[in-house]
Amino acid sequence: DEYLQSGAFADISTTSSTDAYVFYLKGREAYRRQTTESMREARTLFEQALALDPEYAPAYVALADTLGALSEGGDGFGVLKPEIAAQLAEENLDKAILRQPDIADIYAVMGVVNLLRNNYEDSLGNFDKAIQLNPSLARAHMWKSLAFSELQKFDEAIASLEKARE
């Protein structure tokens, strides 16, 4: 039998705070439920994780993603004005980039921020960077299809959805 050494999961959670990691996991679960109430709950949980560990880059990314999802219009949950959601999300992404710039989700969520701002070409660049870092990041491919649709590049949108499905 092999036993894991203390700290063996450090690269999974990127926090040494067990409590911060638990708040993060609870936030991911709330986010997954995809209701306005659960997204508000996710926001609070990610903020609590960051209060316990202000260096926890994945929690900044998750918070930014949640803030984008709380935007009004489109597929948003209608709590924040799009520009406010974009600004708050971008501030959290900047904090994540400073701490751990190689997280693919940073750039995928930055693409969503650019979608909120109707900067579709910029969002494509963000999604490409996310996909470069993690070619199997399905949500980057899915969100990329939204940008292509807005640009009326429907063949590319379908191709991106196919990649997401793969």
Side-chain angles (χ1 to χ4, degrees):
D1 288 336
E2 286 187 32
Y3 294 94
L4 293 173
Q5 291 183 324
S6 176
F9 289 108
D11 58 346
I12 294 172
S13 67
T14 66
T15 181
S16 57
S17 169
T18 304
D19 290 337
Y21 188 54
V22 169
F23 278 117
Y24 173 81
L25 291 176
K26 288 180 177 180
R28 299 301 311 164
E29 176 59 23
Y31 179 97
R32 186 192 62 75
R33 291 195 305 268
Q34 296 283 299
T35 67
T36 300
E37 182 181 321
S38 71
M39 295 306 259
R40 286 179 172 162
E41 179 186 350
R43 177 182 182 178
T44 300
L45 289 163
F46 295 134
E47 288 170 344
Q48 288 172 320
L50 289 164
L52 291 169
D53 183 356
E55 298 303 312
Y56 192 9
Y60 283 111
V61 179
L63 177 57
D65 185 7
T66 303
L67 290 163
L70 284 167
S71 173
E72 295 174 342
D75 293 331
F77 290 93
V79 176
L80 298 171
K81 297 284 182 204
E83 184 48 42
I84 292 170
Q87 181 63 39
L88 292 171
E90 191 171 44
E91 288 170 9
N92 283 284
L93 291 172
D94 288 345
K95 292 173 184 177
I97 288 170
L98 285 173
R99 288 157 177 82
Q100 202 174 339
D102 59 343
I103 299 173
D105 269 326
I106 291 172
Y107 306 98
V109 176
M110 184 57 75
V112 171
V113 168
N114 278 307
L115 286 177
L116 289 172
R117 292 180 170 150
N118 301 320
N119 295 337
Y120 305 117
E121 293 289 345
D122 289 344
S123 72
L124 289 174
N126 297 131
F127 298 133
D128 286 341
K129 171 103 177 171
I131 291 164
Q132 177 188 352
L133 288 168
N134 180 358
S136 64
L137 187 60
R139 51 201 229 134
H141 291 287
M142 181 189 69
W143 290 334
K144 188 177 178 182
S145 76
L146 297 174
F148 278 133
S149 291
E150 291 293 337
L151 293 167
Q152 298 188 0
K153 296 181 177 181
F154 301 113
D155 290 341
E156 290 94 331
I158 291 168
S160 287
L161 283 176
E162 284 296 317
K163 281 281 195 192
R165 187 186 59 76
E166 286 175 19

